Amino acid sequence: MQNLCLTSAQNYELSKSLRDSGNWNSWPFLSESQLDSNAIYLASDSLVAKVCLVAIGDGSQCQALSLADSMPGYHDNAVAYKLVNLTCVLNGQADDEWLCLCTTHCICAVEFGSAEAGCEQPKLQVMGEFDNEILAVSWSPGCDSVAFVTGNRRLLLMDSQFEPLWEAELDQAGFGREAFINVGWGKKETQFHGSAGKAAAAQPKEVAPAPSAPWDTGRVGISWRGDAAVLCTSVVGAATGVRQIRVWSPQDAGALLATSDSSCSGLEWALDWRPSGSLIAASRRRLTDGQLQVQLLERNGLCHGEFSVRATTDTTDIERIQWNSSSELLLVELIDRVDSNGPKTGNLALLLRMHCCNAERLKYRPFRLQTIEQGLGPTLRQAVRQVLRQALAWALRQTDRQ
């Protein structure tokens, strides 16, 4: 599994106007077009652009839009327009798409004209504004609803037209509706306790949840399950200071279903729900020795297992976690918290029968790849599929021997 390597890569040169528009390393947002496989969208806090990876003609490789010139009040309060999320959204007819650009206080729709039509000027429309700061945004897999976490500690769900559906308090007491029920079997009071006596049965042995680590920046994570029936959040509690992952029901007015187990200490903000629906992968730093890990949790909040991530330095953080569409590969993106503009490292992990293997390490500049399939490229995708077939054959042989 350690012999998988990147055999080829394709570089695309951007137009001079786009290169001269600002510091390219400060453009952290990337979203691929859902209708045109040769187009991607890039954005920074001041500019959004559509780049055609296959040139159609001279001067038609990219279209850029200045946010400062398109948003009213940008120059008066640029902090309020800090970019939070960039998502390419399909219209209901699935034959047209638009770019949803979300800043800390407003939602904007950006439409780019067809490159064949002579690079029409992109158009930006402000769809709505928020009084409270937007901390995190996540569209559902079908792009029919979008979830927000706001600065007043509310979880808000809207439809694709940004009409509110429901909102819920993040800091709710209790485990949730699906709390475990103790039917009384195997009570401690009825068990043998040796020399300690039955008085030991009355001693509470619950594990107190540990507060978030000093290096936790308080970022918020949101992730949907593949069928959009449930979603989860990773938030630091306002009163407790403990970061917990909570599962919510979009179909039941935002009812809280479950909360991560108190033994899952050291959780950080990055998380992604496995598309098959069985597990949630979340970033974690073990409090005892600072080891970076990926924690796997079940839908009911119980810990399912974990595996360590090879960090390059003591200041390495997990920036992002993402499953591929087949739920077999997990991308763990690492970044140095001191040099955030430096190269990022992607750890590609293979999940086979609940055993994780670090299969590949990729280094790239700080752009946020939207999907694992896009980031790998066709050559590496073929190599990964071959590795999966070989690993599955090996696992079956081991099973036969047992």
Side-chain angles (χ1 to χ4, degrees), residues 75-385:
H75 295 283
D76 299 331
N77 189 11
V79 178
Y81 295 94
K82 181 177 176 61
L83 197 61
V84 176
N85 181 269
L86 182 75
T87 305
C88 183
V89 181
L90 282 175
N91 284 338
Q93 294 78 14
D95 58 356
D96 191 17
E97 66 183 11
W98 58 280
L99 195 64
C100 178
L101 189 147
C102 183
T103 71
T104 50
H105 283 280
C106 67
I107 309 168
C108 303
V110 182
E111 294 186 4
F112 289 87
S114 173
E116 293 91 340
C119 277
E120 298 179 9
Q121 180 65 24
K123 300 176 182 179
L124 182 143
Q125 179 183 0
V126 178
M127 305 295 292
E129 297 184 356
F130 283 71
D131 294 332
N132 295 284
E133 181 181 3
I134 300 174
L135 302 180
V137 185
S138 180
W139 283 83
S140 64
C143 293
D144 53 0
S145 58
V146 55
F148 299 86
V149 171
T150 57
N152 60 344
R153 308 195 63 80
R154 308 281 291 183
L155 176 62
L156 175 65
L157 189 73
M158 293 185 173
D159 61 18
S160 58
Q161 303 300 318
F162 301 106
E163 293 293 333
L165 299 176
W166 52 258
E167 59 178 295
E169 290 281 353
L170 285 176
D171 300 309
Q172 296 185 23
F175 179 87
R177 288 189 177 181
E178 299 181 358
F180 305 107
I181 299 176
N182 187 356
V183 296
W185 294 345
K187 289 185 177 180
K188 291 183 179 181
E189 293 84 350
T190 62
Q191 296 176 356
F192 177 71
H193 296 278
S195 59
K198 289 190 176 181
Q203 299 294 328
K205 295 184 179 180
E206 295 184 0
V207 179
S212 60
W215 54 79
D216 194 328
T217 59
R219 293 176 66 178
V220 177
I222 309 176
S223 182
W224 293 76
R225 199 170 69 178
D227 58 1
V230 285
L231 62 89
C232 60
T233 60
S234 176
V235 183
V236 178
T240 62
V242 177
R243 179 177 287 278
Q244 292 179 312
I245 294 176
R246 302 194 123 179
V247 179
W248 310 82
S249 173
Q251 301 172 353
D252 194 9
L256 175 63
L257 300 180
T259 303
S260 58
D261 188 49
S262 59
S263 62
C264 296
S265 58
L267 291 173
E268 296 185 345
W269 81 278
L271 80 164
D272 194 31
W273 204 312
R274 194 180 184 193
S276 63
S278 57
L279 292 174
I280 302 170
S283 57
R284 178 192 183 193
R285 190 182 297 270
R286 198 160 54 195
L287 298 180
T288 54
D289 56 4
Q291 173 68 49
L292 278 179
Q293 292 183 326
V294 172
Q295 179 72 55
L296 301 176
L297 300 98
E298 299 177 6
R299 181 185 179 278
N300 58 9
L302 293 179
C303 296
H304 190 88
E306 69 279 332
F307 64 93
S308 298
V309 178
R310 295 173 292 175
T312 54
T313 64
D314 294 337
T315 57
T316 299
D317 288 335
I318 296 179
E319 172 70 8
R320 185 171 61 101
I321 294 176
Q322 184 176 340
W323 295 94
N324 73 331
S325 56
S326 64
S327 300
E328 296 169 320
L329 294 175
L330 183 67
L331 176 66
V332 183
E333 187 179 73
L334 306 179
I335 189 174
D336 193 310
R337 80 173 77 105
V338 177
D339 183 17
S340 59
N341 287 331
K344 292 185 178 181
T345 301
N347 281 11
L348 192 63
L350 170 66
L351 188 69
L352 180 65
R353 294 194 176 185
M354 307 321 303
H355 293 285
C356 293
C357 306
N358 291 318
E360 173 63 300
R361 292 168 63 85
L362 309 173
K363 283 193 175 182
Y364 44 87
R365 300 304 298 176
F367 306 127
R368 185 165 298 173
L369 298 178
Q370 194 70 6
T371 63
I372 295 178
E373 285 84 354
Q374 178 197 30
L376 294 179
T379 304
L380 188 55
R381 282 203 301 269
Q382 183 178 2
V384 169
R385 293 192 185 101

